[in-house]
Amino acid sequence: MSELVTAPFDLLVIGSGAAGMSVALGLLAQRPTARVGVLSKTDLSEGSTKYAQGGIAAVLDATDSIEAHIRDTLIAGGGLCYEPAVRAVVEGAPAAIRWLIANGVMFDREDGDLHLTREGGHSHRRIVHSADATGLAVQTSLESKLRASGALLFENHNAVDLIREKLPQGRQGRCVGAYALDRRDGRVHRFPARSVLLASGGASKVYLYSSNPDGSTGDGMAMAWRAGCRVANLEFSQFHPTCLYHPRAKSFLVTEAVRGEGGRLLRPDGTRFMDEYDPRGELAPRDIVARAIDDVMKRLGCECVYLDISHRPAEFITHHFPTVHAEALKFGFDMTREPLPVVPAAHYTCGGVMTDLRGHTDVDNLYAVGEVACTGLHGANRMASNSLLECLVIGSAAARDIAEKLDAIPAPPPLAPWDETWVTDSDEEVVVAHNWDELRRFMWDYVGIVRSTKRLERARHRVKLLLNEIGDYYGSFRVTSDLLELRNLAMVADLIIRSALARRESRGLHYTIDYPTLDTVAPPQNTILVPKTFAARREG
């Protein structure tokens, strides 16, 4: 289908999760004749949104307040949240929930009202959910709307790089499209566009153990960096504290709502330990819980800890957590009768491409929304169930901005075809597989939950070697999906390591044994990395 692309898109969306679909649908609602294209690396449904279990935070109860949600988010963010972003997202939450309901998302109700649960870091019950498969409900409903919307959908297309307009004297201008690999025929095609949205998700597959689907390889962050965009706060990688521990479970996530509904974390001997690490116990924010579990495992030499909610009635567990219960049963664990073995795993990238509250990046006509972006909402640590919310609220703002500006954006110039003149097919695919494995292992060992300067420097040395090797390989052979993902992962790994080395304190998700306390002398600062190609300044 991509060979038929001749007319430019008004909006090219790279990614098909909650962020990408909300912007595409939002633009089409305002401009029904807009030409919208959506690139999806695999099937539309295979992004991280589908796997989000917990829910979406919103103030919908009279005993709760906007100010309380803001306060909880600021506390979780460890002093680095951008307060206007927090306020904008929190205030936009009720409207976002109404929009989802209008688009067919069925949230759990109790006596006719939305059922609200509670998760770590929240002072009130404010999490709307669809049992323990909220992301699946959101993805399914929005995908159905998108398929019927008239947008052109390009599944199994892996974005390669963004295209900027060439200006006099070697300068680069606005974003005018992207190259993408059709994974079915192995060809790279041009996708011209007046505006481009990065909604490609995070980079947690840079770690050996992750709760994310295989596509979370930092593609949008790497492409934006190569295109000249700044990135911020990439040292803050969130590790979900409770993923099912089993060799075949592939880090299946056990939703934080299990702890929110009374689940207890236990040592192998059955004793609780979270109260020894934080007065909030199991309801402490994720970074504290993850570090506590990591500490218990290292001190005791155990392979996992246990999460126990079997003291609650069996019907309560199966009603509230049907997905977790059914998945655990596949591996021989009945959570209505026994505790589940759990370990931490990389879960969410809190930093990303710098944007304002309308999704603007440093490059004109290039937007970024969702986990790929850094608006300042999360600061040094994302609070549970604020992520889908950010996709929806910032996505709505980006859609309005694109709709308002569309008529003033000229059509993109003709794009140069992808050049494969000097490349050949690789006869050494093992190189890609080996480098992929090496990268994820040293990132887990040296840039994980607990860090040190020595470990980070060791990782920086290794990633430099990998980047050089991957660069030579990329320049010599035809691109494949695995090679593109490896190239992007290595670039994002380097950015994560550089960011972690720059932060000489422990704050939020970044904990280093060389600087174990907060820097209380200087005011908190964001870690901002600037590419050599950076030439623009954001406004707003």
Side-chain angles (χ1 to χ4, degrees):
M1 189 176 182
S2 51
E3 294 180 6
L4 302 178
V5 175
T6 53
F9 292 104
D10 294 313
L11 171 65
L12 178 66
V13 179
I14 300 175
S16 58
M21 290 193 293
S22 66
V23 177
L25 291 171
L27 175 61
L28 287 168
Q30 298 167 75
R31 303 290 294 267
T33 61
R35 182 173 163 85
V36 176
V38 179
L39 298 179
S40 178
K41 198 190 292 191
T42 53
D43 296 337
L44 280 185
S45 62
E46 274 305 304
S48 291
T49 295
K50 171 182 174 180
Y51 299 96
Q53 294 178 351
I56 305 172
V59 175
L60 300 169
D61 184 83
T63 64
D64 197 3
S65 69
I66 294 293
E67 295 305 319
H69 190 176
I70 291 172
R71 183 171 60 251
D72 292 345
T73 302
L74 294 174
I75 291 171
L80 276 185
C81 292
Y82 178 50
E83 191 163 350
V86 177
R87 182 168 294 279
V89 172
V90 169
E91 289 179 345
I97 299 302
R98 291 193 295 269
W99 182 79
L100 287 176
I101 293 171
N103 278 279
V105 179
M106 302 291 289
F107 292 112
D108 285 7
R109 292 181 179 270
E110 198 170 75
D111 299 326
D113 296 323
L114 289 169
H115 180 265
L116 305 176
T117 189
R118 185 179 172 191
E119 294 182 350
H122 291 276
S123 58
H124 292 78
R125 285 181 171 268
R126 63 169 70 103
I127 314 301
V128 298
H129 60 101
S130 181
D132 59 349
T134 306
L136 179 61
V138 170
Q139 180 73 34
T140 302
S141 296
L142 296 189
E143 184 179 328
S144 175
K145 295 288 185 181
L146 185 65
R147 289 190 183 277
S149 69
L152 295 176
L153 309 179
F154 301 89
E155 297 178 273
N156 296 297
H157 278 69
N158 197 341
V160 178
D161 263 321
L162 300 168
I163 305 171
R164 291 184 65 177
E165 186 175 18
K166 289 180 170 52
L167 300 177
Q169 301 175 326
R171 294 178 297 117
Q172 289 188 311
R174 61 189 172 127
C175 186
V176 290
Y179 293 111
L181 170 71
D182 186 335
R183 298 175 62 171
R184 299 162 300 182
D185 64 15
R187 296 179 59 192
V188 176
H189 303 281
R190 294 164 283 181
F191 289 81
R194 287 180 166 84
S195 53
V196 177
L197 169 72
L198 291 172
S200 51
S204 288
K205 291 302 284 190
V206 76
Y207 289 102
L208 185 60
Y209 302 110
S210 170
S211 66
N212 286 199
D214 290 339
S216 298
T217 50
D219 303 328
M221 297 173 193
M223 287 190 293
W225 176 260
R226 290 192 291 266
C229 295
R230 293 171 295 171
V231 297
N233 293 346
L234 281 173
E235 69 270 34
F236 300 117
S237 296
Q238 186 176 69
F239 290 79
H240 196 287
T242 55
C243 290
L244 189 65
Y245 179 70
H246 189 279
R248 297 195 312 275
K250 203 174 182 181
S251 296
F252 175 77
L253 183 136
V254 180
T255 173
E256 189 163 16
V258 172
R259 288 184 285 121
E261 295 294 345
R264 303 164 180 165
L265 285 166
L266 309 175
R267 299 181 181 91
D269 65 2
T271 57
R272 292 179 68 186
F273 58 85
M274 272 310 304
D275 288 340
E276 300 168 22
Y277 290 88
D278 192 279
R280 291 166 289 188
E282 280 80 3
L283 288 176
R286 287 174 175 170
D287 61 317
I288 295 172
V289 179
R291 277 200 299 273
I293 293 173
D294 183 69
D295 185 59
V296 168
M297 289 170 59
K298 286 176 177 173
R299 283 193 300 106
L300 298 181
C302 54
E303 294 181 322
C304 64
V305 296
Y306 294 86
L307 178 60
D308 186 21
I309 197 171
S310 62
H311 53 279
R312 299 298 300 264
E315 53 273 18
F316 174 89
I317 295 170
T318 56
H319 174 71
H320 284 279
F321 308 112
T323 305
V324 176
H325 178 253
E327 191 71 16
L329 283 177
K330 293 179 184 178
F331 301 101
F333 307 113
D334 185 351
M335 65 189 292
T336 67
R337 296 168 168 250
E338 61 188 336
L340 299 177
V342 294
V343 292
H347 184 57
Y348 192 88
T349 311
C350 286
V353 182
M354 289 181 64
T355 74
D356 64 14
L357 301 185
R358 294 165 291 175
H360 294 156
T361 70
D362 289 320
V363 174
D364 285 344
N365 300 342
L366 177 64
Y367 295 76
V369 174
E371 192 175 355
V372 68
C374 181
T375 62
L377 169 67
H378 305 304
N381 184 12
R382 176 181 76 102
M383 191 168 68
S385 293
N386 272 353
S387 54
L388 288 176
L389 176 60
E390 181 183 34
C391 292
L392 300 167
V393 175
I394 303 299
S396 176
R400 288 195 303 272
D401 191 79
I402 295 167
E404 291 168 2
K405 294 180 176 178
L406 202 53
D407 293 334
I409 303 173
L415 305 183
W418 183 253
D419 187 3
E420 291 186 332
T421 307
W422 303 107
V423 298
T424 61
D425 290 319
S426 170
D427 59 357
E428 293 287 345
E429 289 292 334
V430 68
V431 174
V432 174
H434 175 81
N435 286 352
W436 181 285
D437 184 66
E438 180 185 350
L439 174 70
R440 297 178 68 212
R441 285 185 181 276
F442 74 63
M443 285 296 290
W444 182 262
D445 290 339
Y446 302 147
V447 199
I449 297 172
V450 177
R451 302 162 177 175
S452 72
T453 301
K454 180 186 254 185
R455 293 175 196 161
L456 292 172
E457 288 174 344
R458 195 171 287 149
R460 182 78 200 279
H461 174 70
R462 279 161 173 72
V463 83
K464 280 183 179 179
L465 296 176
L466 275 183
L467 283 169
N468 289 334
E469 189 170 312
I470 293 165
D472 290 342
Y473 194 94
Y474 181 83
S476 301
F477 300 110
R478 287 189 175 89
V479 296
T480 65
S481 186
D482 285 346
L483 176 57
L484 292 175
E485 290 182 335
L486 174 63
R487 178 189 184 220
N488 291 333
L489 271 181
M491 179 165 284
V492 174
D494 180 56
L495 298 174
I496 291 171
I497 295 163
R498 288 166 58 183
S499 299
L501 280 167
R503 185 164 295 281
R504 300 195 171 189
E505 63 169 349
S506 287
R507 182 182 295 274
L509 299 165
H510 174 73
Y511 184 83
T512 169
I513 58 177
D514 292 307
Y515 304 96
T517 59
L518 283 174
D519 180 356
T520 56
V521 177
Q525 298 291 323
N526 294 309
T527 304
I528 298 174
L529 301 182
V530 182
K532 293 178 181 178
T533 52
F534 174 70
R537 297 289 174 185
R538 291 187 304 116
E539 299 178 356

